[in-house]
């Protein structure tokens, strides 16, 4: 027993070290560390926390977007779809698009293009009778999307539920489907889609590299990747004003409108932890995309990244 005393003394003295070692081992067992806003968490914890954030904010998501951006997010999304410039027959995968904002704009855009095509076609056929023109118009009107289709994929059931309700309310049904799925492990075959979009969603995936690889995998050769996301402002004065608004105003709006300070505090912090424009551009190139570029909007508050699978 006396001989064991030095051992126990040593263990007691190094108790802190042993506890730290045990904590490290538990951390390894839970998975690699990452961040949730400014917190350090495991990847598993991050996934769960982000799911809870969007489950919490889903019903007030659109109202909060209007409040936080003074409605400017609508303009950003319009620019995003115009940059996509989809033609009739396009098959789009919109990831993390649960509330349908990009999907609905895509359908409107394609319908508008299809309508212009039909009008040009009829103008070129001046020798048709009014009856033939009417029949041709009605026949083509039934194909208003020209076989275009959008698949909305989101990991969060509540966000999809909100999107489906909006679609029903706004009268969208043709060419639209909803799929529960993870951006890091998409439930689709290889080389299936013409365009892949992700708007204000890639910032919330745990492994951006895995999400980008999946985007590359599901696109057809010649397909296009488009990402709209909050980014980094280069002007120091504008950046300080933006930080003041983000940290002092947005969480307060979250509490007043959605009754949820913490979720919007996370969303602000997550923007600051997101890679800057050139770093994200390099990540997109690393998975194999070509002709990668980005367009800053409003001084870099958001950026549109684009790339092609060749």
């Amino acid at each position: 027993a006396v001989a064991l005393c030095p051992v126990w003394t040593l263990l007691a003295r190094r108790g802190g070290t042993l506890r730290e070692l045990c904590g490290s081992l538990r951390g390894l067992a839970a998975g690699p560390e990452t961040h949730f806003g400014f917190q350090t968490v495991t990847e598993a914890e991050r996934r769960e926390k982000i799911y809870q954030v969007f489950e919490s904010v889903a019903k007030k998501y659109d109202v909060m977007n209007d409040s936080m951006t003074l409605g400017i997010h609508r303009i950003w999304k319009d620019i995003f779809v115009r940059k996509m410039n989809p033609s009739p027959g396009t098959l789009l995968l919109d990831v993390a698009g649960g509330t349908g904002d990009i999907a609905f704009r895509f359908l409107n855009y394609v319908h508008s293009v299809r309508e212009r095509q039909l009008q040009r076609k009829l103008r070129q056929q001046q020798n048709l009778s009014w009856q033939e023109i009417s029949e041709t118009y009605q026949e083509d009107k039934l194909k208003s999307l020209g076989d275009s289709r959008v698949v909305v994929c989101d990991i969060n059931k509540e966000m999809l539920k909100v999107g489906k309700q909006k679609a029903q309310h706004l009268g969208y049904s043709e060419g639209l489907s909803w799929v529960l799925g993870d951006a890091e492990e998409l439930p689709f075959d290889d080389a299936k889609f013409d365009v892949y979009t992700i708007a204000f969603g890639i910032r919330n995936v745990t492994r951006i590299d895995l999400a980008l690889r999946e985007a590359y995998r599901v696109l057809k050769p010649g397909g296009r990747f488009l990402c709209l996301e909050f980014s980094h402002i280069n002007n120091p004065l504008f950046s300080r004003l933006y930080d003041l608004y983000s940290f002092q105003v947005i969480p307060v709006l979250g509490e007043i409108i959605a009754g949820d300070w913490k979720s919007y505090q996370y969303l602000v912090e997550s923007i600051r932890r997101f890679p800057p424009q050139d770093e994200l551009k390099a990540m997109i190139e690393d998975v194999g995309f070509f002709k990668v570029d980005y367009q800053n909007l409003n001084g870099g508050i958001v950026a549109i990244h684009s790339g092609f699978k060749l």
Side-chain angles (χ1 to χ4, degrees):
V2 174
L4 289 174
C5 285
V7 177
W8 289 113
T9 302
L10 179 62
L11 287 174
R13 288 175 180 171
R14 299 195 177 271
T17 304
L18 288 172
R19 282 191 295 273
E20 290 169 8
L21 177 60
C22 290
S24 299
L25 290 172
R26 282 195 298 273
L28 289 172
E33 286 188 343
T34 182
H35 59 84
F36 175 78
F38 293 160
Q39 300 176 43
T40 299
V41 295
T42 65
E43 289 185 356
E45 287 172 334
R46 175 183 163 87
R47 288 188 179 95
E48 179 61 27
K49 284 177 177 289
I50 289 176
Y51 190 93
Q52 291 172 356
V53 164
F54 285 94
E55 189 173 49
S56 171
V57 305
K59 292 180 180 178
K60 296 289 186 179
Y61 188 74
D62 290 333
V63 176
M64 275 301 300
N65 279 345
D66 282 333
S67 301
M68 288 188 301
T69 69
L70 306 178
I72 298 173
H73 75 101
R74 296 173 182 268
I75 298 172
W76 295 334
K77 290 167 183 172
D78 289 341
I79 294 170
F80 185 60
V81 173
R82 286 202 298 271
K83 190 174 181 70
M84 186 198 315
N85 190 26
S87 58
T90 298
L91 180 56
L92 167 67
L93 173 63
D94 183 37
V95 176
T99 57
D101 279 5
I102 302 303
F104 302 152
R105 282 171 170 79
F106 167 82
L107 293 174
N108 291 342
Y109 191 97
V110 171
H111 178 76
S112 178
V113 171
R114 180 72 175 163
E115 188 74 16
R116 290 197 298 272
Q117 289 177 346
L118 176 57
Q119 290 174 359
R120 283 198 299 269
K121 176 183 174 182
L122 293 174
R123 280 198 296 269
Q124 291 167 1
Q125 297 176 330
Q126 298 291 338
N127 59 332
L128 293 179
S129 68
W130 71 265
Q131 187 174 1
E132 289 171 323
I133 290 174
S134 178
E135 289 173 354
T136 301
Y137 184 81
Q138 293 302 324
E139 181 182 340
D140 286 346
K141 190 79 172 175
L142 294 174
K143 304 174 183 176
S144 62
L145 295 175
D147 297 323
S148 296
R149 190 157 59 89
V150 53
V151 178
V152 179
C153 180
D154 201 295
I155 197 172
N156 194 287
K157 293 179 182 178
E158 287 300 313
M159 296 290 280
L160 286 173
K161 182 179 177 182
V162 170
K164 290 176 183 178
Q165 290 171 345
K166 283 173 61 181
Q168 185 176 12
H169 176 71
L170 296 171
Y172 292 101
S173 58
E174 181 190 359
L176 177 63
S177 56
W178 308 85
V179 175
L180 186 68
D182 186 346
E184 298 175 38
E185 194 174 354
L186 293 170
F188 306 108
D189 295 335
D190 296 355
K192 183 177 177 65
F193 296 94
D194 300 304
V195 182
Y196 171 112
T197 56
I198 184 165
F200 303 115
I202 202 164
R203 189 180 78 258
N204 298 305
V205 303
T206 299
R207 291 278 304 276
I208 294 175
D209 58 329
L210 294 184
L212 291 174
R213 287 192 195 115
E214 282 291 272
Y216 188 88
R217 179 184 68 78
V218 301
L219 279 170
K220 298 174 183 177
R224 189 176 191 184
F225 168 87
L226 282 164
C227 171
L228 172 65
E229 187 54 86
F230 286 107
S231 201
H232 291 253
I233 299 170
N234 293 324
N235 183 294
L237 177 60
F238 186 27
S239 181
R240 283 196 292 272
L241 292 172
Y242 180 53
D243 280 347
L244 183 65
Y245 174 77
S246 297
F247 287 99
Q248 301 300 322
V249 177
I250 289 178
V252 175
L253 287 174
E255 181 65 28
I256 294 171
I257 296 172
D260 191 341
W261 178 295
K262 288 184 179 180
S263 291
Y264 287 95
Q265 180 72 28
Y266 154 72
L267 291 174
V268 171
E269 292 175 359
S270 68
I271 294 170
R272 300 312 183 275
R273 296 298 301 263
F274 190 68
Q277 290 89 322
D278 286 322
E279 187 176 331
L280 181 59
K281 177 177 182 287
M283 294 174 73
I284 296 168
E285 290 171 334
D286 285 345
V287 302
F289 285 106
F290 287 86
K291 204 177 177 183
V292 179
D293 61 15
Y294 62 85
Q295 175 187 357
N296 285 330
L297 303 178
N298 292 95
I301 290 179
V302 300
I304 299 173
H305 281 76
S306 170
F308 294 87
K309 178 179 178 178
L310 302 180

